[in-house]
Amino acid sequence: MPSKLACLGHSEASPPQPTAQGHLQPEGRMLKGQLPNAGQDLVPHPGSLPTHSCQGPEKSPVPPLSLPAGIGDEDPQAKAKPFTPKPPTRPRLERALSLDEKAWRRRRFRTSHEDLATRSGTSPSRGSSQDEAPQPPTRTGSPPCLSTSLQEIPTSRRAQGSTGGGPSSWGHCISGMISTSLDLLHRDGASAGSTTRLPAVDQKAASNPPWTANSTGGSRLQSRLFRAHSSLGPGRPPSPLACDAKPSFSLLAPIRAKDVRSRSYLEGSLLASGALMGADELARYFPDRSMALFVATWNMQGQKELPPNLDELLLPAEADYAQDLYVIGVQEGCSDRREWEVRLQETLGPRYVTLYSTAHGALYMSVLIRRDLIWFCSEVESSTVTTRIVSHIKTKGALGVSFTFFGTSFLFITSHFTSGDGKVSERLLDYSRTVQGLALPRSVPDTSPYRSDAADVTTRFDGVFWFGDFNFRLNGGRVAVEAILKQDLGEKVSALLQHDQLTQEMKKGSIFKGFQEPDIHFLPSYKFDIGKDSYDTTSKQRTPSYTDRVVYRSRHKGDICPVKYSSCPGIKTSDHRPVYGLFRVKVRPGRDNIPLAAGKFDRELYLIGIKRRISKEIQQQQAPKDQHSSTICTVS
């Protein structure tokens, strides 16, 4: 039997055969797995043209077309008269779906060598009664698991819509067999009132369609098919054609229409699909359910001058990646608080936004978060406590900020305790006033109220980070401490901590109950000569101490894991060195019934920081050009 392409060309060049019932016999094709009847089907019909076609019994999904009255088998002239095709009775959406599922998944594009062999009759026809085992595709760029699928395309559709174009367009149409093209040709043929006589098929164009020779076009075709298939509904499985397609489509997870109709985001559930704070959404952003947190504290000593670069503080060299959440607390902050916040935004760049910033006298706190995580935060609440006897002098005290991220509640406290070598009791009193005076949370519900204590704010949150200038000193005096500082780094740090007041009080349980501190491997952060690496050389001769600390408390054991705890010796604009900690914090799914921040952030601050960053980059790019542009004197 001739090949399919040859059969298609001859059969479409011949008019459809009328039947005894007065209907045109659609162009023959075989259903998948159906063989022709050797005794009946291969015998040509009386009055028909020489049998060059591959016609056989079939049941087309498209109903047969009706002919005008008076047309019979004996009237050869009636075959060339025009007729009006009827639209298919089945819905278009179902028709396109069958093409996508059946035809395109098993079809492969033929190469010019295969078509040449088919036309010369040297290879058996695929889809005929003499089918052999399917050969592997010769073109590596074609999609996998695709075979010829002309049997799956109704031939009556091709007969109806096959009369409206030139040879080149017909060659492309027959060789490509794209469902969208068939629909367009069907509509064009119906509107033009075309005849049943088909033009000659351009075999060269059919054997070498443009998209089989161009890999870029093939990928574009696959991408369109994948999009069309996905648009049928999220319940459909993804098309296998997407495996070779370029990622030109969105990677966002599809949103089911029924979830949008029926989902109530105000109530929420831990296990509900589509919940904003639920487990599915959490797994998309944090597959291991842990986020990266940066916490830093710095006593600026009220200096107006800021460091020229904050990369050492916010983006330390020990961290390969930036963190998800940044919380920076400042004591004795600079006079221009807005300038400080702009510098933070400028350093972190456009991928971060300022979720919240607040101040209590000279205490500043800024919370910056990755911009794509801002939707999973609750409203941010803050509270303050003044530990000075005169309340309007706000140089000493505490500032607390709390919010819920997914289903985990956080509390961040920055404090400035009473200074002085021997004033340990005053510092313990400052701690007690803080845990009792911070009125948090307010409108954001407690995630575990049965574990909370009304007298201790740190028990009302899943994760608590307390950082600041606690002013605890090293006992023993300046001479003893300097003697220890002359030892090796590993030995002197452990020796210094034996004289640390805070370590001793935490062991007693008199302060920071339930808190932990990461291991210290850095030198004392206080007190330096401004702009130098030497400790206090003034007449006061203050003892070097670990006054700046970061401690943490977790409601669930093991939820907070310290990664790095260090200081920034390169920032020398104050007598204190900044101290920072990197943590991995476990995050749990939550409910949607909490007051959300709804993506609110400081937009004005964001724009100012980005503009500064861009202007500095432009200046850096122009600096080398200005250095190379010099005047060259020529001697004539």
Side-chain angles (χ1 to χ4, degrees), residues 174 190 594:
I174 295 175
I594 61 175

Side-chain angles (χ1 to χ4, degrees), residues 355-583:
L355 175 65
Y356 192 79
S357 63
T358 185
H360 176 62
L363 294 174
Y364 303 159
M365 185 182 295
S366 299
V367 181
L368 294 96
I369 191 172
R370 289 184 59 168
R371 63 186 184 192
D372 47 347
L373 300 177
I374 195 174
W375 303 101
F376 310 108
C377 299
S378 70
E379 289 182 354
V380 184
E381 300 174 328
S382 63
S383 179
T384 61
V385 171
T386 300
T387 57
R388 283 278 192 180
I389 298 177
V390 182
S391 60
H392 67 273
I393 302 177
K394 300 177 181 179
T395 56
K396 298 293 188 295
L399 172 61
V401 171
S402 66
F403 61 93
T404 298
F405 183 68
F406 279 97
T408 302
S409 57
F410 289 97
L411 172 63
F412 300 95
I413 306 175
T414 181
S415 295
H416 194 184
F417 291 164
T418 303
S419 60
D421 291 346
K423 296 184 179 180
V424 177
S425 58
E426 287 82 350
R427 288 188 277 271
L428 297 179
L429 183 59
D430 293 342
Y431 166 81
S432 300
R433 290 177 179 175
T434 301
V435 295
Q436 297 175 9
L438 288 178
L440 293 173
R442 292 192 182 96
S443 59
V444 179
D446 192 345
T447 54
S448 297
Y450 60 92
R451 296 186 179 184
S452 300
D453 184 359
D456 190 349
V457 67
T458 62
T459 62
R460 306 171 202 159
F461 298 87
D462 298 320
V464 181
F465 294 86
W466 201 326
F467 46 97
D469 183 3
F470 298 153
N471 262 321
F472 284 97
R473 309 299 173 90
L474 293 179
N475 295 324
R478 173 72 180 255
V479 177
V481 171
E482 285 184 345
I484 298 175
L485 289 173
K486 295 178 181 179
Q487 302 176 6
D488 295 335
L489 178 62
E491 298 178 358
K492 61 185 175 185
V493 170
S494 58
L496 290 173
L497 292 177
Q498 295 178 3
H499 301 277
D500 181 49
Q501 295 176 353
L502 178 59
T503 303
Q504 296 172 0
E505 295 300 327
M506 289 182 66
K507 290 180 179 179
K508 296 178 182 178
S510 58
I511 191 174
F512 294 122
K513 298 177 182 178
F515 282 82
Q516 303 178 59
E517 183 179 16
D519 295 335
I520 298 177
H521 299 287
F522 54 91
L523 296 177
S525 59
Y526 173 85
K527 170 180 171 67
F528 287 90
D529 294 330
I530 296 178
K532 299 180 182 179
D533 293 327
S534 58
Y535 289 101
D536 187 18
T537 58
T538 63
S539 59
K540 294 184 179 181
Q541 291 287 305
R542 293 184 177 89
T543 304
S545 302
Y546 292 98
T547 58
D548 307 282
R549 313 288 276 269
V550 177
V551 295
Y552 63 92
R553 173 178 178 172
S554 177
R555 177 179 279 172
H556 307 279
K557 185 178 180 180
D559 278 7
I560 301 177
C561 177
V563 178
K564 182 69 176 178
Y565 189 37
S566 183
S567 64
C568 301
I571 299 180
K572 307 175 183 180
T573 57
S574 170
D575 59 350
H576 289 255
R577 297 290 187 261
V579 174
Y580 67 89
L582 304 180
F583 301 90

Side-chain angles (χ1 to χ4, degrees), residues 91-102 104-105 179-180 183 223-241 254-258 261:
R92 280 294 180 85
L93 181 60
E94 185 177 356
R95 181 72 198 105
L97 179 61
S98 63
L99 282 175
D100 186 35
E101 288 186 340
K102 298 179 180 179
W104 286 102
R105 291 187 180 183
S179 58
T180 54
D183 294 337
S223 178
R224 288 200 301 269
L225 288 173
F226 179 80
R227 284 180 173 274
H229 182 80
S230 300
S231 64
L232 296 176
R236 308 298 308 175
S239 173
L241 294 174
I255 302 175
R256 297 179 183 272
K258 63 178 183 180
R261 289 192 298 266

Side-chain angles (χ1 to χ4, degrees), residues 60-132:
S60 173
V62 183
L65 304 175
S66 300
L67 287 176
I71 298 179
D73 294 340
E74 295 78 18
D75 189 5
Q77 300 296 330
K79 301 176 183 179
K81 293 183 179 181
F83 68 95
T84 302
K86 292 183 179 181
T89 58
R90 300 179 68 180
R92 280 294 180 85
L93 181 60
E94 185 177 356
R95 181 72 198 105
L97 179 61
S98 63
L99 282 175
D100 186 35
E101 288 186 340
K102 298 179 180 179
W104 286 102
R105 291 187 180 183
R106 294 188 299 274
R107 183 180 181 276
R108 71 178 181 87
F109 300 106
R110 290 189 177 188
T111 62
S112 57
H113 298 285
E114 292 177 331
D115 288 335
L116 182 60
T118 301
R119 290 197 301 270
S120 61
T122 58
S123 63
S125 171
R126 297 178 62 90
S128 66
S129 61
Q130 302 176 358
D131 280 347
E132 294 182 353

Side-chain angles (χ1 to χ4, degrees), residues 196-258:
T196 59
R197 177 67 62 182
L198 292 174
V201 177
D202 187 353
Q203 299 291 343
K204 181 178 180 181
S207 62
N208 296 289
W211 45 77
T212 59
N214 189 342
S215 61
T216 303
S219 300
R220 192 180 303 112
L221 173 63
Q222 296 174 21
S223 178
R224 288 200 301 269
L225 288 173
F226 179 80
R227 284 180 173 274
H229 182 80
S230 300
S231 64
L232 296 176
R236 308 298 308 175
S239 173
L241 294 174
C243 58
D244 291 339
K246 293 182 179 180
S248 58
F249 47 85
S250 174
L251 297 179
L252 293 176
I255 302 175
R256 297 179 183 272
K258 63 178 183 180

